[in-house]
Amino acid sequence: MPIALALHGGAGTIRAADLTPELEAELMAGLSAALDSGLSILHAGGAALDAVQATVTVLEDHPLFNAGRGAVFNDQGFIEMEAAIMDGALRTAGSVTGVRRTRNPVQLARLVMAHTPHVTLGFEAADAFAAKMGLPQAAPEYFHTSKRWDALQSELARLRAGGSDADVSEQVKHGTVGAVALDAAGHLAAATSTGGRTAKMAGRIGDTPVIGAGTWADDLVAVSGTGHGESFIRCCAAHEVASRMRYMGQPLSDACDEVVYGQLLELGGSGGLIAVDWEGHVTLPFNCEGMYRAAVDANGERMVAIYR
């Protein structure tokens, strides 16, 4: 069987004028390192589930991506992280929301899936469970980056001046990391992690931990989304891709395009998604300025990119 892996580090957040050559190189290196982490597992015959978790963990540890260490701040000035993971072979899933102390929320989502009877765990209970299971915890200073704090102050000032949520820039709306994989046994998996939106209301829950909205995997396809989470929830974006393939017989690229360039835009939502099917086809569509992304398909073709 072929293997394939794709990842994203967020969509809609990229303007060429905002990236120095040094910053662009650092971002590209981060994407490549995450890709290599997952590929090393797949090349060794490991499971897709382990590969997507490892890939997302690398991105969570990188301060330039909006997940884990680089998570953005909510309107009260603290972080609330979310993550999800799903095993396509068994359709088991785990997700977390409102996480504030756990360094790697995707690892916590995996533990929720494997060691509780539930799918989703949130807020203080989620962090407490992480600590009980031995996952590394961190003080708020670990998650504090000047770039994210400055972005919060700028957005709060815009809102105080009468700006509306509808007018928020894509740079504020978006920011998620995720991975999808096909392993040598023919199994698929997906994982997603995020800090959400800058200046989001404390307690807001986005699409990432909502299984079927921002994250989905079954025996046909694995999907991870990034973008305006409310729109992904309203059209159940990730599951919509799977449904189009299963019930309408659409190929992967057509199903993804219908969601990204059709339903999301109809709802006023911007963003993108990554997906891999059971044959190792990979697609990475987005309807905004750019998407941090990387992939290796079933033919071994590798790509790392930011813009179109």
Side-chain angles (χ1 to χ4, degrees):
M1 292 290 296
I3 62 170
L5 177 70
L7 64 89
H8 67 76
T13 60
I14 310 102
R15 292 190 301 229
D18 296 330
L19 290 185
T20 64
E22 294 77 15
L23 180 57
E24 182 173 342
E26 188 174 356
L27 287 163
M28 295 286 279
L31 295 170
S32 291
L35 186 66
D36 288 338
S37 178
L39 284 175
S40 66
I41 292 173
L42 296 176
H43 284 309
L49 196 65
D50 293 330
V52 295
Q53 178 179 312
T55 300
V56 170
T57 294
V58 172
L59 294 169
E60 287 178 336
D61 289 340
H62 199 300
L64 290 181
F65 298 103
N66 179 14
R69 190 178 181 189
V72 298
F73 295 96
N74 64 19
D75 63 352
Q76 300 301 308
F78 59 87
I79 61 164
E80 289 182 303
M81 300 176 289
E82 301 176 318
I85 194 166
M86 188 166 185
D87 181 351
L90 301 175
R91 291 204 197 180
T92 52
S95 70
V96 292
T97 189
V99 173
R100 295 179 60 181
R101 302 190 306 273
T102 304
R103 288 178 56 154
N104 294 108
V106 71
Q107 296 178 15
L108 177 53
R110 176 79 176 270
L111 292 179
V112 171
M113 179 183 76
H115 296 287
T116 80
H118 311 304
V119 170
T120 305
L121 197 61
F123 301 93
E124 286 293 326
D127 277 321
F129 178 66
K132 177 182 177 181
M133 298 299 291
L135 286 184
Q137 305 290 288
E141 292 75 20
Y142 171 81
F143 303 99
H144 190 287
T145 63
S146 58
K147 178 181 179 181
R148 302 304 190 198
W149 185 254
D150 291 345
L152 172 65
Q153 304 314 309
S154 176
E155 179 60 10
L156 290 177
R158 187 188 71 83
L159 294 172
R160 285 193 297 267
S164 70
D165 186 73
D167 297 329
V168 67
S169 71
E170 285 190 347
Q171 289 190 315
V172 173
K173 283 183 182 179
H174 299 173
T176 308
V177 306
V180 294
L182 170 70
D183 63 32
H187 297 151
L188 293 155
T192 316
S193 182
T194 187
R197 295 174 57 173
T198 300
K200 65 184 180 180
M201 288 179 64
R204 178 258 191 183
I205 298 172
D207 63 303
T208 291
V210 179
I211 301 301
T215 309
W216 180 261
D218 57 22
D219 58 346
L220 290 181
V221 65
V223 185
S224 175
T226 173
H228 185 214
E230 281 70 15
S231 297
F232 276 70
I233 294 171
R234 289 165 63 198
C235 71
C236 211
H239 189 267
E240 178 70 9
V241 171
S243 294
R244 287 179 169 276
M245 294 177 65
R246 185 175 299 277
Y247 302 119
M248 298 177 65
Q250 287 189 328
L252 177 69
S253 59
D254 289 353
C256 290
D257 286 355
E258 288 280 355
V259 172
V260 173
Y261 304 118
Q263 294 189 30
L264 284 177
L265 288 179
E266 290 168 5
L267 294 174
S270 57
L273 56 80
I274 57 172
V276 59
D277 69 12
W278 63 280
E279 294 180 302
H281 300 123
V282 172
T283 188
L284 307 93
F286 53 96
N287 62 25
C288 42
E289 292 185 51
M291 181 168 75
Y292 303 114
R293 62 202 187 277
V296 170
D297 64 17
N299 296 319
E301 293 191 22
R302 181 187 182 105
M303 64 86 70
V304 182
I306 296 177
Y307 308 104
R308 294 189 184 280

